[in-house]
Amino acid sequence: MSAPPPSAVVAGEPPLRRRVTVRGVVQGVGFRPYLYGLATELALAGHVTNTPEGVVAEVEGTASAVARFCDRIAVQAPPLARVESVHHREMPAVGGTAFTILTSRTGGPARTLVSPDSATCADCLAELADPADRRYRHPFVNCTHCGPRFTIVTGVPYDRAHTTMAGFAMCPDCAREYADPADRRFHAQPVACPSCGPRLRLLVPPSDDLTGTDPVTEARALLSGGAILAVKGLGGYHLACDATNEEAVARLRRRKARGDKPFAVMARSTADVEHLVRLGPEERDLLEDGVRPVVLLRRRPDPVYAAGAPRPAEAVAPGSPDLGVMLPYTPLHQLLLGLRGDPDGPRLLVMTSGNMSGEPIVTDDAEALERLAPLADAWLTHDRPIHVPCDDSVVRVCDGEPLVIRRSRGYAPLPVTLPLPVRPALAVGGDLKNAFCLGAGRRAWLSAHIGDMDDLGTQRAFEGAVAQLESITGVRPGTLVADRHPGYRSARWAERHAAARPVVRVQHHHAHVAAAMAEHGLDGTRPVIGVAFDGTGHGDDGAVWGGEFLLADYDGFSRFGHLAYVPLPGGDAAVRRPYRMALAHLRAAGIEWSDDLACTAACPPDELRLLERQLELGLHCVPTSSMGRLFDAVSSLAGVCHRAGYEAQAAVELEGAALGAPTGDQCAYAFDLHAPGPAREEGDAVRADPAAVLAAIVADLRAGIEPALVAARFHRAVTGLVHRICVRARERHGLDTVALTGGVFANTLLSSSCAATLHEDGFTVLRHRLVPPGDGGLALGQLMVAARTTPTD
């Protein structure tokens, strides 16, 4: 398309021509029509096109008009655009009478950024609900401001031919919109309508395709009747059911073998959940943002149900202090929850990943019919392929700031800006909640959430995601980076695929601290006090670390302090049965396993005798300093949780108990600190012994103190421990910046308390905001540490 001829150049002023390269998220977001309109307004000649390195424009006109064009590019960019840089250089004037939009150029290295998927915009929602609009009730309505992006991209530059929409020929009406720079669907690659777009189908065995019925109307009726539906979304299939139907939710939980792990719910609007949860302005903004993550919201202890207010089933999130909530982010979700005037249907839907627990999310239609057959009663599907699997992101608010728990849909594949340049490298992350990271220059691209690497399907998904992210970023890693754990499947993958490239191993907790430093822009010239608390990480001495105080920069670390070692009896068995961890801690503290203690009563008598013998002989009892395991132990000791059906369940429920404690109590337990002796040897560190804490807990329980108070006092004990050791590190080493990292700091009660106490004493506190504090952010730290062990440009 071309603009009207520009006005004449000012008399006597020679024309100026510049070539402008714009990098960032600038393709598929309406950037070319935006530049077209800007150039037309300023009476500039020239052209604009997509290239693998970004959007490239050449503009010619008066010097002042060209300067205004360059100045306004980033300031007035379209809603989904993210401008990273604008570079321009002068060129010889060539004249011309129009500004045109050229077809995209291919070839050369990929340097542009692909936009994440974005929730349906207000304009598209209005069309969806307007009976007079040709896209009325069209489940795939989208424009340049919203809709699928990352999950449909097959290559760059981002054009329809490089998406899974390539197989859908546009009808004349859509083609006209697509070619009109004045239309908000100009070069919206997923553009479609009922005449030419993807088709929705409802499959209900044994009849399968219900031809002649409206798939959405029938799907809503099935959900209302208690059915479980497999629903094809942006990044994979969800399993959906009526969240207010106790029997349906319980059946889904049984079929998925999910234990007590909470489900997330999708609500039509915040009005349907504000009686259930505490909803501040920050939480509301997250829920309504274009990312549309699952937001973990604190449940109201005594919700008040007005007439007609939806009441979720108890089985949605049993024992959890939080309820995960998201709002609809596709037109299909909007239709499932009902438009104004639709017959009544479910107002809250359970929306959980379409997979068996531990497996990757299903994206392929044929695979969905096979793998989800034991789980679903019907399939609401369509024929637009999903190229990139992408689970829902999970976020919560901590002290008014977002804390990303799982970084996936809506965030991936946006890069994190690095404080130091790195050579092209691939960091493969950990084995739990895996996400990997590609880095080059000052950019780090974290993958969408992959999952736990103990499943072969997850490992295949990992490999496919690596290839896909390399293809759209153009990064060809010359180094691979992995955890030091000898048994990690991610590390073994790196070794198998190294192909003569070096594989750098990075200690787990060092990587956690480095990730916090990197996202806060620290260049590593000064160490920080890294407080790294999690469940499991391979220590340099062969023990299981997880309650660590490190003095760290990107070059290395020293272990300043840690929780005292206790045996981890039976490895994973102790993780699944927190009472085993409680009994191990009691034995290490010299406290008898008396029958009046909840953890003793929870352990079957035969297992109790075997456990005693196991601890006496040290059989399968690797020493651990894990703070996560100490939370498990206290949870069982206080009678809160004895068996964990999902990761960190005991700790989550202990936090929930603490939130219910009376506000007047300020008592705190205290750890004993054992400093290294005068003849300090390499590896010596301050040891935090929990024996006194455990003895005080036992005394409180025997005195009739309620578990909620015990839980709150324990949280204050951990806060006090963090403060005391950080003060000691500051006194000895002059450091005053503390990084709080590791999965334990997803506990906002603990994170907030530690940060407040440290701030009050003059420390600078780094907490995660861009990447998860747990293993989902590990790869970013691995990348930064490896950058210092290999040469940089």
Side-chain angles (χ1 to χ4, degrees):
M1 295 292 296
S2 55
S7 59
V9 173
V10 176
E13 183 178 348
L16 177 69
R17 190 177 186 91
R18 280 187 184 167
R19 176 184 173 91
V20 184
T21 301
V22 189
R23 294 192 176 98
V25 180
V26 291
Q27 294 185 8
V29 294
F31 214 87
R32 286 181 297 172
Y34 158 62
L35 293 187
Y36 172 95
L38 186 57
T40 303
E41 176 191 338
L42 296 170
L44 297 172
H47 55 77
V48 63
T49 186
N50 279 344
T51 76
E53 63 178 345
V55 170
V56 176
E58 290 186 15
V59 290
E60 183 172 332
T62 65
S64 59
V66 170
R68 287 200 299 277
F69 177 88
C70 295
D71 290 342
R72 290 169 60 182
I73 285 175
V75 176
Q76 299 173 338
L80 295 186
R82 299 199 181 191
V83 177
E84 282 199 346
S85 64
V86 179
H87 296 291
H88 43 87
R89 58 184 176 86
E90 289 194 21
M91 302 181 67
V94 297
T97 59
F99 190 88
T100 59
I101 298 176
L102 305 179
T103 57
S104 299
R105 295 207 316 261
T106 59
R111 294 178 184 170
T112 192
L113 303 180
V114 174
S115 170
D117 301 291
S118 183
T120 313
C121 70
D123 288 336
C124 285
L125 287 178
E127 292 173 345
L128 183 73
D130 182 1
D133 193 276
R134 72 187 188 92
R135 290 188 173 86
Y136 175 56
R137 303 188 72 87
H138 180 51
F140 307 97
V141 59
N142 68 86
C143 67
T144 53
H145 301 154
C146 68
R149 295 294 190 276
F150 178 50
T151 52
I152 64 170
V153 168
T154 59
V156 290
Y158 177 69
D159 285 324
R160 194 176 180 97
H162 296 142
T163 74
T164 61
M165 288 296 293
F168 296 91
M170 284 182 279
C171 68
D173 288 334
C174 286
R176 184 168 53 255
E177 294 169 334
Y178 184 86
D180 182 1
D183 195 286
R184 79 173 198 281
R185 291 191 169 92
F186 175 76
H187 278 248
Q189 308 308 341
V191 68
C193 76
S195 298
C196 62
R199 296 286 185 272
L200 199 62
R201 293 193 305 157
L202 181 68
L203 307 177
V204 185
S207 57
D208 282 344
D209 196 352
L210 299 184
T211 306
T213 65
D214 173 40
V216 172
T217 300
E218 185 64 25
R220 295 188 75 220
L222 287 170
L223 289 167
S224 295
I228 296 170
L229 263 62
V231 179
K232 189 175 182 181
L234 286 182
Y237 277 81
H238 281 114
L239 292 168
C241 72
D242 182 352
T244 68
N245 186 320
E246 197 76 52
E247 194 280 329
V249 177
R251 184 159 25 94
L252 175 56
R253 188 172 290 284
R254 287 194 305 272
R255 289 182 182 181
K256 231 192 149 182
R258 193 176 172 90
D260 290 331
K261 187 175 182 180
F263 286 127
V265 300
M266 180 177 282
R268 182 166 47 187
S269 70
T270 56
D272 284 332
V273 295
E274 56 191 4
H275 61 291
L276 302 171
V277 295
R278 302 186 188 281
L279 199 59
E282 297 87 0
E283 287 87 354
R284 193 179 297 272
D285 287 346
L286 276 174
L287 283 168
E288 297 175 348
D289 185 74
V291 173
R292 294 291 166 93
V294 175
V295 183
L296 299 181
L297 302 169
R298 292 291 189 210
R299 299 169 83 162
R300 294 184 183 275
D302 298 302
V304 177
Y305 295 96
R311 182 192 300 261
E314 288 297 322
V316 167
S320 173
D322 303 314
L323 183 65
V325 178
M326 59 180 159
L327 299 187
Y329 55 86
T330 71
L332 180 56
H333 295 148
Q334 299 280 349
L335 293 170
L336 277 178
L337 286 163
L339 301 181
R340 181 172 297 181
D342 282 354
D344 288 342
R347 292 168 60 185
L348 292 178
L349 292 174
V350 165
M351 281 284 190
T352 186
S353 298
N355 55 7
M356 289 293 288
S357 293
E359 295 181 358
I361 191 170
V362 174
T363 58
D364 179 77
D365 298 331
E367 192 178 3
L369 291 173
E370 178 183 347
R371 281 177 55 193
L372 302 183
L375 308 179
D377 301 312
W379 285 254
L380 186 59
T381 185
H382 57 78
D383 55 355
R384 183 180 68 204
I386 298 170
H387 187 66
V388 184
C390 206
D391 271 291
D392 293 316
S393 294
V394 181
V395 185
R396 70 187 314 159
V397 171
C398 182
D399 294 333
E401 296 287 340
L403 170 62
V404 177
I405 305 298
R406 184 167 77 190
R407 186 181 186 273
S408 201
R409 178 190 51 76
Y411 295 104
L414 291 178
V416 174
T417 301
L418 300 177
L420 298 168
V422 299
R423 288 178 66 96
L426 167 64
V428 299
D431 266 21
L432 296 177
K433 300 181 179 178
N434 178 274
F436 62 85
C437 182
L438 277 174
R442 288 184 177 265
R443 284 179 179 166
W445 288 267
L446 280 97
S447 71
H449 170 77
I450 303 294
D452 295 349
M453 295 288 283
D454 56 354
D455 181 79
L456 287 175
T458 305
Q459 294 172 39
R460 288 193 293 269
F462 174 93
E463 191 159 335
V466 168
Q468 194 271 345
L469 197 56
E470 286 184 7
S471 73
I472 66 169
T473 61
V475 175
R476 299 294 178 262
T479 302
L480 277 69
V481 195
D483 194 275
R484 285 185 186 170
H485 194 297
Y488 267 12
R489 293 167 179 82
S490 54
R492 290 175 182 171
W493 185 93
E495 296 286 356
R496 288 197 309 272
H497 291 80
R501 294 174 292 182
V503 178
V504 178
R505 296 287 193 133
V506 177
Q507 200 280 325
H508 190 90
H509 302 95
H510 185 199
H512 274 312
V513 177
M517 294 173 62
E519 74 162 85
H520 282 274
L522 272 64
D523 63 7
T525 54
R526 182 172 171 79
V528 303
I529 305 166
V531 182
F533 289 171
D534 61 7
T536 301
H538 183 72
D540 287 351
D541 57 0
V544 176
W545 290 6
E548 310 307 310
F549 295 84
L550 308 181
L551 308 183
D553 53 23
Y554 299 126
D555 292 320
F557 72 93
S558 62
R559 197 181 189 201
F560 182 79
H562 60 87
L563 277 182
Y565 287 140
V566 296
L568 182 66
D572 287 345
V575 177
R576 293 189 298 269
R577 288 171 262 173
Y579 61 78
R580 293 177 68 93
M581 209 62 240
L583 293 167
H585 264 286
L586 289 177
R587 188 178 188 278
I591 299 172
E592 183 183 353
W593 294 355
S594 58
D595 293 339
D596 65 328
L597 298 178
C599 55
T600 309
C603 185
D606 289 346
E607 185 180 352
L608 191 66
R609 288 190 292 271
L610 288 173
L611 180 61
E612 186 171 24
R613 186 67 172 156
Q614 182 180 8
L615 290 169
E616 284 177 1
L617 299 175
L619 295 174
H620 304 295
C621 289
V622 177
T624 181
S625 61
S626 168
M627 181 61 79
R629 298 290 78 82
L630 180 59
F631 267 80
D632 290 351
V634 173
S635 187
S636 179
L637 180 59
V640 174
C641 178
H642 301 300
R643 293 180 180 271
Y646 62 92
E647 185 187 7
Q649 178 179 352
V652 167
E653 294 185 3
L654 187 69
E655 180 189 7
L659 291 168
T663 55
D665 181 80
Q666 293 301 315
C667 178
Y669 308 126
F671 290 77
D672 289 330
L673 298 186
H674 302 292
R680 182 182 174 91
E681 297 179 0
E682 185 64 31
D684 282 352
V686 177
R687 288 183 297 109
D689 189 346
V693 171
L694 297 166
I697 290 173
V698 169
D700 272 356
L701 292 170
R702 286 175 174 159
I705 299 297
E706 61 183 292
L709 273 178
V710 169
R713 291 172 179 180
F714 173 70
H715 277 75
R716 287 194 285 271
V718 177
T719 298
L721 171 67
V722 169
H723 179 232
R724 289 165 65 198
I725 293 188
C726 288
V727 167
R728 190 170 295 195
R730 180 172 62 186
E731 291 170 350
R732 293 186 185 178
H733 300 279
L735 303 177
D736 57 5
T737 298
V738 179
L740 303 179
T741 186
V744 169
F745 283 107
N747 177 327
T748 55
L749 178 63
L750 179 68
S751 176
S752 181
S753 176
C754 287
T757 301
L758 291 167
H759 279 307
E760 287 171 7
D761 200 8
F763 287 95
T764 297
V765 181
L766 312 179
R767 289 188 287 176
H768 290 276
R769 294 288 179 260
L770 303 179
V771 302
D775 285 5
L778 194 70
L780 176 62
Q782 290 175 342
L783 182 80
M784 291 305 300
V785 172
R788 303 307 288 255
T789 59
T790 55
T792 59
D793 292 330

